[in-house]
Amino acid sequence: MMKPPTDEKAGRLRAAKAVAHRMRRWRVDHSCCAQHAHASIMAAAPKEAQVDCGWGRLLFAQTFDQPARLVTALREEAPEQRDIAIYVGDPHVVIAAAPHELFLDPSHTFRLHLSTYRGSRRQASGFRVRRLSSRADACAVSRIYNTRGMVPVRPDFIWCNRDNRAITYLVAEDQATGEVVGTVTGIDHHKAFNDPEHGSSLWCLAVDPQARHAGIGETLVRRLAECFLGRGAAFMDLSVLHDNEQAVALYEKLQFRRIPAFAVKRKNSFNERLYSAPLAGYAALNPYARLIVDEALRRGVQVEITDAEGGFFRLSHGGRSVHCRESLSELTSGVAVSICDDKAVTRRVVERAGLHVPAQMAATGDEASLSAFLNQHGRVVVKPARGEQGRAVAVGLDELGAVKRSITEAEAVGGRALVESYFEGEDLRLVVIDFKLVAAAVRRPPCIIGDGRTTIRRLIEAQSRRRSAATGGESTIPIDAETERCLRLSHLALDDVLAKGREVLVRKAANLHTGGTIHDVTEIVHPRLVEAAIAAARAINIPVVGIDFMVNSPTEPQYVFIEANERPGLANHEPQPTAERFLDLLFPLSGSRAADCARGRI
C-alpha cells in the first residue's frame, strides 16, 4: 500500500503538473500559430501564377502586380504554342503596353456556380466518361485535338501530367469499340496557385467528329463539374468564341452564365484569324479549301480567293503563282483529270499498270447481259461513269430490279452508268502527293444506334446533324431510295423504332459526303497497298490523287482498285500532314522547309 505524499512532495508534484500543463499549452499555441501563419501564407496566391497545359500556358492575370510583368510573360510564349492570359482586369491597359503584339480575345467567359449545379437524370448511352488512364488514352486525346484543328499537344506531355493535381483529364470511351471519342481538361485553381476563391476552369472540350453517340460533349462537361464540386470548388469557368452559337447554347442549357472576365493573347499565326480581317470570301470556302489556305497563310504564302463557292484560290510565293481548286492545282494536267473523270478509262489505265481491278460492264440497256453479269458475280455495284462525292452509287445489289433502278439514277448523274462486281471488305483511301503516300484511311458507311424510343428517321436526322457540324456541312446522310433499300435489307423502315443498342447501316457506300466516317490507318497500312497506290498515280501521271481500294483489311495485301480522285479532300486525315505536303509540292522552299534548307537539313 502506497504512502500518501508529504506536503513538500505534494507541492513539488503540483508544480510539476503546472509546468507540464503550461508546456502543453505552449506547444498547442505554438502549433496553432504556425498553422495560422502557414495558412496565411498559403491563402495568398503566389505571384505570376501559370499552368503549362501542353498547348500553351494559362497565365492568371490577377496574380501579376503590374501589366508590364504580364506583357513580359506573354512575350515568353514558346514556338508553336498559344499562351492565354485570363482574368485580365484592365485588358486595355495591358494591350496598350504592346499593341502590335497583343490582342483582346473575342471570346466570352461563362461561369457555372457549383453550389447551385444540378445533375442530369439522363444516363449516357453507348459511352462512358472516365479519367485518362493509359498512354493510349493520351495518344487518343492528342489525335482528337488534331482532328478538331486545335493546337497539338504531345501525348507524352499529357501522360506525364496525368497525376498533376492541378490538371484533370477526362475522356469519353465508346463502350462497344473501346475507342476514346471525346475529352475535356479541367484546371483546379486552388491546386494550381492556392486561389482564395476556390475556382476551377474547363478547357479543350473536344469530341471526335467520327463519334456515333449523342450527348458526349454535355456529359464530359457535367462529369468535370461534378469532379470539381466534389473537391469543394466554388465555380467552374470556361471561355468560348463569341460566335460559337452551338457551344454557347449548350453551356446556357447547363446553367452557365456569362461574366465580365477577359483574356489577352499574343498575335501569332495560330491566332491570326481572331485579330485580323479575314480574306475576302474566306468564310464561304469549304473545309477542303480552307485547310490549304490556312497552311499557306501560316507559311507566309500569299493567298487570293478567286471563287469562294467553287473552292478556287491563287497561291503566290517567291515569284511563282499557282491557281488551285482545293487540292487540284495547275500542276495536274488536263489529261490526268480526263483519265480520273471517266471511271471506265481510269480502270483501263491502272489495269495496264498491273493493278487488280473488278469485273466491269457498261449499262447499255441489254437486260440479258445485265442479268448474266449479276448471276455471275452475285452482288454488284452501280455507279455513274462520271460523278463524285458518292452521288448515285449503290453497293451490294443482288436483285435485277434494284440494279435497273440504280442504273437509272446513276445515268441521271453521270450520263453513263457502270456495273461492277462487288468486293466484300473495307473502303480504303490512300492520299498520294508527289508520288509518296501521305495518308491512308478506312472509310466506313454511316450507321445509327437505337435507343428504344426514337424512330430510325429521327436517328438518321440527328446523326446527320452531328456529321454536318463536325465537317463544316460537308457530310450529311441523305434519306432517299438507297437509304430505304439498305434498311429493307435489315427488315426495317424509316418510321420503325430501333431497339436500344442495336446498330444498323443506313447506307452501303462509305463516302464521307453521304455520312461516312474516316479512320486513319497510315501507320499500319500494308506496303503492297502503298506500292499499288503509287503505281496507279504514276500510271495516271498525277501529282496529287486519292486512290480508292476495297481491301480485306488495311494490314493485308489483297485489294481491288475502285477509282482515282483527282481532287481528294485533304481534310479529315489528321494527324497526317496532308496540307503541309501539298504546299511542299507547290512551294518547296516555303515555311519550315525553307528554314530546314537554310540549316542544311534538306
Side-chain angles (χ1 to χ4, degrees), residues 575-599:
Q576 307 309 325
T578 52
E580 290 93 322
R581 297 295 84 83
F582 181 73
L583 265 294
D584 288 346
L585 172 70
L586 270 53
F587 306 104
L589 298 182
S590 65
S592 59
R593 287 179 65 86
D596 289 340
C597 286
R599 298 186 185 102

Side-chain angles (χ1 to χ4, degrees), residues 53-58 80-82 84 145 151-153 203-204:
C53 298
W55 42 261
R57 297 170 301 159
L58 289 176
E80 306 300 324
Q81 298 278 285
R82 182 190 63 170
I84 306 175
Y145 287 174
V151 178
V153 179
W203 301 90
C204 300

Side-chain angles (χ1 to χ4, degrees), residues 112-158:
L112 177 66
H113 291 281
L114 295 175
S115 61
T116 59
Y117 170 75
R118 296 293 179 269
S120 173
R121 295 182 179 178
R122 185 174 181 178
Q123 297 295 315
S125 178
F127 66 94
R128 68 187 183 104
V129 172
R130 57 174 175 80
R131 287 182 177 274
L132 181 141
S133 60
S134 69
R135 291 182 182 274
D137 288 347
C139 291
V141 169
S142 180
R143 175 187 59 81
I144 292 174
Y145 287 174
N146 284 324
T147 63
R148 305 306 306 199
M150 300 160 68
V151 178
V153 179
R154 301 187 321 275
D156 61 304
F157 177 92
I158 298 172

Side-chain angles (χ1 to χ4, degrees), residues 148-149 241 243 269 273 278-299 303 305 307-313 315 324-327 468-474 567-572 574 578-580 582-583:
R148 305 306 306 199
L241 278 175
D243 57 356
S269 59
R273 62 189 180 89
L279 287 168
Y282 178 85
L285 292 175
N286 64 35
Y288 308 106
R290 192 175 296 177
L291 179 77
I292 297 170
V293 167
D294 287 345
E295 175 62 17
L297 293 172
R298 189 186 69 80
R299 293 179 179 223
V303 178
I305 299 174
D307 187 282
E309 293 184 2
F312 290 89
F313 49 88
L315 305 179
C324 305
R325 184 185 185 192
E326 300 166 13
S327 63
S468 179
T471 60
E474 290 298 303
R567 183 163 50 98
L570 300 185
N572 309 305
E574 295 84 356
T578 52
E580 290 93 322
F582 181 73
L583 265 294

Side-chain angles (χ1 to χ4, degrees), residues 393-417:
V393 176
V395 178
L397 304 176
D398 59 2
E399 192 268 324
L400 184 61
V403 173
K404 292 168 66 176
R405 288 191 295 272
S406 296
I407 288 173
T408 300
E409 294 174 8
E411 288 174 339
V413 170
R416 293 183 297 118

Side-chain angles (χ1 to χ4, degrees), residues 26-40:
W26 181 86
R27 291 192 187 102
V28 171
D29 292 343
H30 179 77
S31 175
C32 290
C33 288
Q35 291 176 7
H36 178 72
H38 180 68
S40 298

Side-chain angles (χ1 to χ4, degrees), residues 44 193 205 257 274 294 343 351 393 399 417 473 490 528 589:
F193 63 98
L205 175 66
R257 294 294 178 258
L274 300 177
D294 287 345
K343 294 177 175 60
E351 183 180 22
V393 176
E399 192 268 324
S490 300
R528 288 281 298 278
L589 298 182

Side-chain angles (χ1 to χ4, degrees), residues 29 52 111 129 163 210 234 240 325 342 391 393 398 403 429 433 465 474 482 509 517 557-558 573 577 595:
D29 292 343
D52 187 354
R111 172 168 294 179
V129 172
D163 294 326
Q210 318 292 352
V240 58
R325 184 185 185 192
D342 192 317
R391 287 193 291 267
V393 176
D398 59 2
V403 173
R429 161 65 61 91
I433 299 177
R465 285 194 298 271
E474 290 298 303
E482 174 63 9
T517 58
Q558 295 81 15
H573 282 282

